[in-house]
Amino acid sequence: MMTTSRLLALPLLLCAPLLATAAPAAGLTPEQTFDLYARVLLEDDAGAARTLNDALRPAFDGKDAVTPAHGELAAAMAAPLQSLLAKHAGGARDSAAVPALMAANLRQTRCRATHAQVRDNAYVDDAKIASVSFTCQVTVLDALRPLFSAGLRDDSAENLKRFTDAYLLALRDAPRRELSGRLDLHPAKDNGYWYSGNLDALVSPVVDAVLPFNAWRQDALADAAPKVTGVPACDLLLLQHRQCIANTAPDQLPGVEVMADELKAKAATSTPAAMTQECKALRSMAEAMWDDDCR
């Protein structure tokens, strides 16, 4: 079944021109700046791009600050599903329609700022940070989890088709839920312009909501992992790390056992939420030791 671990890097690449050039001009509030970025990036809104460029042009020697990549985010998000559809008969026809369907779904996310709080930057003298809170409207996909789980257990053409048919229908017609987030904007030079150093805080929550399959897969694997700490994220990490090290560096297995003992001891006195966060941080370090077959 489809996973999205590699796809999550794509929105960052698509954002690169914005990150490299964007500096909202005087007259745009942090909220207005956020809204324009969201409309350009997620909704392919050409009018928002013109508005943003018109506002920024004086700060960029009369040049456009952003160059919209029309449809590229939707195409990147659609690609894994298109590969999945290509595996069953008749899927090619459905596959061709997926980018447009994904783009239509993203246009309805309507990520918008709710308020911004401007505070002093503790690390830069006389500089500010605007913390923009926002909400998005994302498709509710919970009803698809049983179909996805069935596909993990039995990757048959029938299960594959049931899942993809239901997913395409949900992209078009399913109800939406509100997603909340926060994005920091930083001022340029004399605090007259705002820009974002990390639009991933906007893009990733939407991608994760519309393509939740990697998280669902990790949840399913965690449920089946041996219970060492009793915290699914930690138990799955230990299982995967042990299996990987056994194949790639078996002489380091004693270190995995030490790691397991330490996590088990911590879990006895820490909350599940704290342990989950710790094991997420440990995963990034462990994955640096894994080859592609371990991921």
Side-chain angles (χ1 to χ4, degrees), residues 244-258:
C244 186
I245 296 302
N247 290 329
T248 60
D251 58 306
Q252 296 181 26
L253 277 172
V256 179
E257 300 310 319
V258 171

Side-chain angles (χ1 to χ4, degrees), residues 113-162:
T114 55
H115 68 276
Q117 181 177 7
V118 178
R119 66 182 189 275
D120 291 336
N121 188 328
Y123 303 99
V124 181
D125 291 340
D126 300 321
K128 303 290 183 180
I129 295 175
S131 184
V132 181
S133 297
F134 65 89
T135 61
C136 304
Q137 306 302 315
V138 295
T139 301
V140 176
L141 297 173
D142 293 345
L144 274 64
R145 289 195 74 152
L147 294 174
F148 183 83
S149 297
L152 288 178
R153 292 190 299 270
D154 176 11
D155 196 9
S156 66
E158 293 78 10
N159 282 341
L160 183 65
K161 189 173 190 314
R162 276 193 288 269

Side-chain angles (χ1 to χ4, degrees), residues 3-264:
T3 62
T4 58
S5 56
R6 296 185 183 275
L7 174 65
L8 293 180
L10 289 173
L12 298 179
L13 298 177
L14 297 175
C15 291
L18 300 179
L19 295 176
T21 61
L28 288 179
T29 66
E31 294 93 335
Q32 290 170 330
T33 301
F34 174 89
D35 288 356
L36 290 170
Y37 274 130
R39 289 167 57 191
V40 172
L41 186 59
L42 295 173
E43 301 173 30
D44 281 334
D45 188 330
R50 286 192 297 272
T51 299
L52 190 57
N53 279 327
D54 286 346
L56 302 185
R57 199 166 283 119
F60 288 92
D61 298 326
K63 300 176 182 178
D64 286 346
V66 298
T67 303
H70 183 78
E72 288 191 21
L73 178 58
M77 293 175 66
L81 185 62
Q82 289 179 295
S83 297
L84 202 60
L85 286 166
K87 294 181 179 180
H88 68 73
R93 181 188 66 251
D94 294 333
S95 175
V98 175
L101 189 59
M102 188 69 72
N105 184 280
L106 290 175
R107 283 195 293 272
Q108 298 303 313
T109 54
R110 292 192 57 79
C111 292
R112 297 292 184 268
T114 55
H115 68 276
Q117 181 177 7
V118 178
R119 66 182 189 275
D120 291 336
N121 188 328
Y123 303 99
V124 181
D125 291 340
D126 300 321
K128 303 290 183 180
I129 295 175
S131 184
V132 181
S133 297
F134 65 89
T135 61
C136 304
Q137 306 302 315
V138 295
T139 301
V140 176
L141 297 173
D142 293 345
L144 274 64
R145 289 195 74 152
L147 294 174
F148 183 83
S149 297
L152 288 178
R153 292 190 299 270
D154 176 11
D155 196 9
S156 66
E158 293 78 10
N159 282 341
L160 183 65
K161 189 173 190 314
R162 276 193 288 269
F163 169 74
T164 54
D165 286 351
Y167 180 70
L168 292 174
L169 185 63
L171 280 184
R172 190 182 66 214
D173 297 332
R176 292 180 178 259
R177 62 179 175 86
E178 187 171 275
L179 176 152
S180 299
R182 186 163 55 204
L183 176 74
D184 282 347
L185 297 177
H186 298 270
K189 11 184 199 181
D190 57 358
N191 291 332
Y193 310 103
W194 293 102
Y195 71 98
S196 170
N198 184 13
L199 286 175
D200 183 46
L202 165 62
V203 175
S204 281
V206 174
V207 173
D208 290 344
V210 179
L211 297 173
F213 312 118
N214 191 51
W216 289 359
R217 180 176 178 274
Q218 293 296 313
D219 287 347
L221 292 173
D223 288 341
K227 303 300 184 282
V228 177
T229 67
V231 179
C234 298
D235 291 339
L236 178 59
L237 171 61
L238 288 171
L239 172 64
Q240 292 175 322
H241 192 47
R242 184 180 289 110
Q243 290 174 337
C244 186
I245 296 302
N247 290 329
T248 60
D251 58 306
Q252 296 181 26
L253 277 172
V256 179
E257 300 310 319
V258 171
M259 176 181 172
D261 290 342
E262 291 178 350
L263 288 176
K264 183 177 181 180

